[in-house]
Amino acid sequence: MLPEARGILVRKARQPMKDKPGGFENHLRATAEKVEHALKRFTLGKPPAVPPLLWDAMTYSLLAGGKRVRPFLVLESARIFGVHEEDGMALAVALEMVHTASLIHDDLPCMDNDVLRRGKPTNHMVFGEGMALLAGDALLVSGPGQATGKLKASGRVPAGRILAALQLILDAAGPAGICGGQTLDMEESERSGASPWRIAYWKTAVLLRPCVMAPAYLGGASDKELKCLSSYGAHLGVAFQIVDDILDVSGKAEQLGKTPGKDALQEKNSFVHRWDLETAREMAADQSRRSRTALSGIRRDTTFHEGMVHYLGARST
Ligand code: GRG
């Protein structure tokens, strides 16, 4: 650990789970445990050619905790569309790896320059900037890579569906995905004009869409179902980002696992700074409503996708 990283450790406040058996929060917790096991299995399987330092840097951020919202959405969509749990897990791990890569890069001094993530010192504080950059690169590529290998080996899904799912994930990570969103976000702090709506969509929602759509591709969902999932993921993602903006103002480091108050400091065009807390809450509620409405077009059991809308919305209250 680099000397600067010592002392940057925040115990995350554990939310008490008051839930009935089979309720959303119990299901979320049980799913997060399964995801944790899958991520650990992945990190135990270091290929011999990978330098241990790089593997340590990848593993450090991947196993640092996090709410595991994206894998949850993946596994729920997999269940809804009858995809085998192991195949769903391959995609869930891929999307958590891509997401973790984006967090590592987001925290770098040349980007948001943060020292705290998931309640621990950020990757570059521990491994240095060069290793953090490489750990992000490696997670970004090996996430979809391991999913391809596992899906191919399982032999349960036709190749065309695997390709469609992977294309969706890769597009979401690219220039018309979170790289583009991060560009808008960075430009914005230099006052060049994108609205918080565009930033929220391209920075956050764009990666939630493949979480719900990629497993649906594997399971052979209809065009109508894919359209509904696309709308669900987009509105859920925008609501998620609005809540993230609200928490940046009203949350505490122990709750967030990251440094609050960064948006104002970096003059980000967040929802709260563009409007105000109350308006931002109304906007998040409206996006949540729209995501729930989108689910009504799917004639399958979407209870837990709906539960996620409530769960994410409730974080800001
Ligand atoms: C393709 C590697 C790569 C990078 C692209 C840096 C970057 C460019 C994009 C970052 C975009 C970004 C950080 C968006 C914010 C999304 C967001 C709300 C993150 C917080 O997600 P949570 O709350 O975090 O789910 P946990 O830690 O719980 O997983």
Side-chain angles (χ1 to χ4, degrees):
M1 186 178 287
L2 300 182
E4 308 88 285
R6 295 207 181 98
I8 304 170
L9 190 65
V10 168
R11 277 275 152 259
K12 278 217 220 157
R14 285 225 170 268
Q15 302 290 338
M17 295 269 191
K18 294 189 211 100
D19 198 14
K20 55 183 185 310
F24 178 81
E25 294 198 352
N26 282 331
H27 186 48
L28 177 63
R29 186 170 42 185
T31 307
E33 277 166 21
K34 280 189 200 165
V35 170
E36 228 53 54
H37 282 129
L39 292 172
K40 279 193 187 123
R41 270 200 309 280
F42 171 80
T43 58
L44 287 173
K46 181 182 94 55
V50 179
L53 180 60
L54 176 59
W55 200 253
D56 285 351
M58 292 163 68
T59 306
Y60 172 78
S61 292
L62 199 56
L63 298 184
K67 295 178 291 300
R68 311 304 191 197
V69 165
R70 290 148 195 86
F72 180 88
L73 290 172
V74 173
L75 292 170
E76 252 327 282
S77 265
R79 186 191 60 76
I80 294 169
F81 291 94
V83 174
H84 192 283
E85 191 168 315
E86 276 174 30
D87 295 337
M89 191 58 89
L91 286 186
V93 168
L95 275 145
E96 188 63 14
M97 287 170 79
V98 170
H99 166 59
T100 302
S102 78
L103 298 182
I104 296 174
H105 284 186
D106 185 52
D107 291 331
L108 284 168
C110 59
M111 297 218 177
D112 275 7
N113 191 18
D114 213 328
V115 296
L116 183 68
R117 173 70 73 177
R118 293 176 163 172
K120 295 170 84 177
T122 46
N123 198 290
H124 66 271
M125 293 298 287
V126 179
F127 295 95
E129 280 180 51
M131 282 316 301
L133 190 65
L134 290 169
D137 292 343
L139 286 168
L140 175 64
V141 180
S142 54
Q146 62 78 35
T148 311
K150 286 187 183 139
L151 290 169
K152 210 172 78 178
S154 90
R156 283 182 286 255
V157 186
R161 289 186 188 178
I162 300 177
L163 283 175
L166 287 167
Q167 184 182 2
L168 209 62
I169 297 173
L170 294 172
D171 282 348
I178 53 176
C179 286
Q182 183 76 352
T183 306
L184 295 177
D185 191 48
M186 287 169 66
E187 280 184 337
E188 193 48 51
S189 42
E190 289 156 23
R191 308 213 170 281
S192 75
S195 81
W197 294 105
R198 274 185 75 201
I199 297 173
Y201 178 77
W202 294 111
K203 203 173 86 162
T204 303
V206 86
L207 196 58
L208 292 201
R209 281 178 70 242
C211 293
V212 291
M213 291 175 73
Y217 270 109
L218 294 192
S222 68
D223 286 349
K224 181 180 174 231
E225 287 171 324
L226 288 166
K227 209 167 149 215
C228 291
L229 287 170
S230 169
S231 172
Y232 165 76
H235 289 299
L236 181 74
V238 173
F240 189 168
Q241 185 56 54
I242 301 174
V243 169
D244 203 69
D245 286 1
I246 293 171
L247 289 171
D248 185 74
V249 173
S250 64
K252 302 256 177 308
E254 305 79 56
Q255 172 199 9
L256 305 178
K258 60 181 182 178
T259 318
K262 295 290 302 286
D263 289 347
L265 205 66
Q266 295 177 337
E267 300 186 359
K268 289 277 168 77
N269 192 12
S270 83
F271 282 83
V272 180
H273 296 109
R274 178 82 163 74
W275 291 283
D276 55 56
L277 260 178
E278 213 27 61
T279 312
R281 284 204 178 98
E282 281 162 20
M283 287 169 164
D286 180 55
Q287 289 300 306
S288 297
R289 260 191 304 277
R290 287 170 194 259
S291 66
R292 278 197 305 274
T293 305
L295 288 177
S296 61
I298 301 173
R299 301 265 165 265
R300 303 184 191 229
D301 173 20
T302 57
T303 314
F304 288 122
H305 272 345
E306 198 167 331
M308 183 53 86
V309 181
H310 291 290
Y311 167 77
L312 292 178
R315 293 179 70 225
S316 70
T317 54

